[in-house]
Amino acid sequence: MPATVVVGTQWGDEGKGKLTDLMAFEMDMVVRYQGGHNAGHTLVVNDKTFALQLVPSGVLHPNVTPVIGNGTVIDPRVLVDEMDALAARGVDCGALKVSGSAHLVMPYHSELDALHEDRLGADKLGTTGRGIGPAYADRALRTGLRVQDLLDPEGFRIRLDAALGRVNPLLAAVFDRPPMDASAIAEEYLGRCAPRIAPHVADTVGLVHDALESGRRVLLEGAQATFLDLDHGTYPFVTSSNPTAGGACTGAGLGPGHIDRIVGVVKAYVTRVGSGPFVTELTDSTGDHLVAAGHEYGTNTGRRRRTGWLDLVMLRQAVRLNSITELALTKLDVLDGLPRLKVCVAYRHGGDLFSHMPHCQSVLREASPVYEELPGWQADTAAAAEAGVLPAAARGYISFIEAEAGVPVRLVGVGPGRHQFLELP
Ligand code: GDP
Ligand code: IMO
Ligand code: MG
């Protein structure tokens, strides 16, 4: 049985968690393939809201095996706290599997993240401050510690001492900061976290393949999004992993031939947290309206999200980069009541017109949007029980997106609730 990927098409927070939770009704396994606790995936089920960071968004389904794959970076303290918080709310994480090959986010990673940002001053990236970049940097340098090191206290101490042998002089010489204490870190990671995480550590690559070979259905859940991708995003204003669908292969341990369905999640407008170019950004009262109506504040960091009109140049690029086979359009209800809607169909830069993403960041920074205007609708779509009752203008908006993106919209989100997704034929 081939696997399905859920991937964000913008700058994150498109509603990947909600879609994954809904699709998990028809899945046996949900695998997070990259990122760490920079992610915040919100699930709203009845009157309960869950904000997940590391635990896959299939966890609410007792029949689903949640897996944290090798491509992720894990702060074990956060994972333990998240499992405890879920348990306190009646959600059992007993079936959770964690790749022994995933890298650990260490206390010095978050410290370095904050110090780097501080040093950049006005040019800061606006990271989540969770140590994600430094953790992936250590992975690339081959100086990282991995989840499997939690099971090997002696090896953990050797690798930790080696890491601090590099980090502490850096902290002192460059940042004028005191050294970090290996014993305190070992006590927390090996003493407190390792016994809690050890029962979950597994050969997740083997588990994924066993599942696929026995005909079980596997969903690969992306965090962050296409334009935060280290290779394909708006570098340097990106995260340090590959959220694009190719990252699902490396981050879960399977080849592209195992995937036959790639669902791109696209918000009906665009948001971005942190710095970087944003061609359709709205800094006027319409932008404020989208923040208020869409509750556009970070799931975990609480930061106000920047907002703008839907950008089809980005969406076309996301379709290409991810081989998207279908779209899930979220937060259509947030556009309710706006008299007219603008949709960006191209970028203008000097005398040039771009219908596809310019590869040069200086062009992107200076590009201005070319808009098509579409009629809005004066109706409450959140109350819609099926797609057929959506106002004609809302259906027109969806058709326009499908035509421009070249792939069908299969689901339309009209509210945060688990079942506030309308199926399109
Ligand atoms: P993710 O990171 O892609 O999983 O998205 P987040 O959970 O960070 O942000 C999406 C936010 O929008 C969450 O608060 C969701 O509950 C909410 N949401 C998701 N889909 C819809 C929708 O169709 N309509 C509305 N109004 N809210 C939605
Ligand atoms: P989900 O999975 C939105 C952004 C940060 C910053 C940049 C780099 O909830 O969609 P990092 O801490 O990763 O080094 O920060 O990436 N960012 C996100 N923005 N949603 C996310 O995750 C994000 N994860 C990281 O704001 O601009
Ligand atoms: Mg989020």
Side-chain angles (χ1 to χ4, degrees):
M1 177 73 78
T4 298
V5 178
V6 166
V7 61
T9 62
Q10 296 162 331
W11 281 297
D13 304 326
E14 297 91 349
K16 300 174 294 292
K18 178 189 154 180
L19 177 68
T20 299
D21 169 61
L22 182 73
M23 290 180 66
F25 278 104
E26 291 168 5
M27 295 290 159
D28 301 298
M29 183 178 272
V30 173
V31 188
R32 264 284 302 271
Y33 58 83
Q34 45 67 237
H37 66 300
N38 48 349
H41 293 184
T42 315
L43 321 182
V44 179
V45 181
N46 301 323
D47 55 346
K48 286 190 179 166
T49 299
F50 299 89
L52 302 174
Q53 301 185 83
L54 285 166
V55 173
S57 301
V59 71
L60 301 186
H61 300 259
N63 300 331
V64 166
T65 306
V67 176
I68 305 182
N70 58 276
T72 61
V73 287
I74 299 173
D75 187 325
R77 301 164 297 179
V78 175
L79 182 56
V80 167
D81 289 350
E82 194 170 335
M83 290 194 294
D84 286 346
L86 284 165
R89 301 181 67 191
V91 179
D92 179 22
C93 292
L96 178 71
K97 304 294 178 200
V98 181
S99 168
S101 302
H103 276 246
L104 293 175
V105 177
M106 305 296 290
Y108 45 85
H109 290 139
S110 29
E111 169 118 359
L112 288 169
D113 196 351
L115 291 168
H116 284 148
E117 284 282 90
D118 202 42
R119 201 46 75 91
L120 285 169
D123 295 325
K124 70 176 181 185
L125 306 179
T127 72
T128 59
R130 303 281 156 88
I132 304 300
Y136 276 115
D138 263 340
R139 183 175 85 149
L141 278 170
R142 293 147 295 172
T143 49
L145 279 83
R146 297 190 291 168
V147 167
Q148 58 191 268
D149 294 323
L150 292 173
L151 312 182
D152 167 19
E154 214 169 296
F156 183 96
R157 268 311 288 254
I158 291 169
R159 278 180 270 281
L160 176 61
D161 287 342
L164 288 181
R166 291 182 305 273
V167 169
N168 279 337
L170 177 75
L171 287 175
V174 179
F175 298 108
D176 196 22
R177 300 287 299 170
M180 299 197 88
D181 177 32
S183 300
I185 296 174
E187 170 55 29
E188 204 174 14
Y189 277 56
L190 294 175
R192 183 169 86 86
C193 299
R196 297 289 313 282
I197 291 180
H200 300 277
V201 178
D203 166 20
T204 57
V205 173
L207 289 176
V208 167
H209 285 277
D210 288 347
L212 292 171
E213 283 160 24
S214 59
R216 279 178 284 154
R217 299 153 302 176
V218 176
L219 185 149
L220 307 167
E221 177 189 10
Q224 289 78 57
T226 302
F227 292 95
L228 290 173
D229 186 279
L230 182 57
D231 286 82
H232 300 290
T234 47
Y235 191 91
F237 303 101
V238 294
T239 193
S240 300
S241 66
N242 289 114
T244 45
C249 293
T250 50
L254 41 77
H258 281 293
I259 296 168
D260 75 342
R261 186 180 177 203
I262 299 161
V263 188
V265 191
V266 52
K267 205 181 275 195
Y269 48 99
V270 180
T271 62
R272 170 164 214 173
V273 206
S275 323
F278 187 164
V279 176
T280 65
E281 182 165 17
L282 288 165
T283 50
D284 58 5
S285 59
T286 307
D288 292 340
H289 170 78
L290 293 175
V291 171
H295 306 290
E296 295 297 353
Y297 294 91
T299 303
N300 290 312
T301 60
R303 290 182 295 172
R304 181 186 157 112
R305 297 175 182 146
R306 299 156 67 193
T307 52
W309 294 118
L310 183 63
D311 185 335
L312 295 175
V313 179
M314 288 173 72
L315 187 58
R316 285 186 209 113
Q317 182 81 351
V319 168
R320 282 182 163 182
L321 289 170
N322 297 293
S323 305
I324 287 170
T325 56
E326 64 192 87
L327 294 169
L329 179 67
T330 58
K331 300 191 110 167
L332 188 74
D333 55 299
V334 176
L335 301 181
D336 289 356
L338 288 171
R340 298 201 61 78
L341 304 172
K342 289 188 185 176
V343 181
C344 175
V345 292
Y347 297 162
R348 194 183 304 284
H349 183 261
D352 296 326
L353 210 57
F354 292 83
S355 58
H356 284 284
M357 205 73 181
H359 76 278
C360 195
Q361 290 298 302
S362 59
V363 174
L364 189 65
R365 260 200 315 274
E366 295 161 5
S368 54
V370 177
Y371 286 122
E372 286 259 346
E373 278 206 22
L374 300 176
W377 51 90
Q378 314 306 312
D380 177 11
T381 59
E386 51 163 352
V389 304
L390 286 174
R395 281 185 276 126
Y397 191 73
I398 298 166
S399 304
F400 190 81
I401 294 169
E402 288 183 314
E404 292 279 327
V407 283
V409 173
R410 292 273 185 238
L411 289 170
V412 180
V414 291
R418 177 184 254 179
H419 294 290
Q420 286 183 294
F421 255 131
L422 311 177
E423 269 184 61
L424 291 186

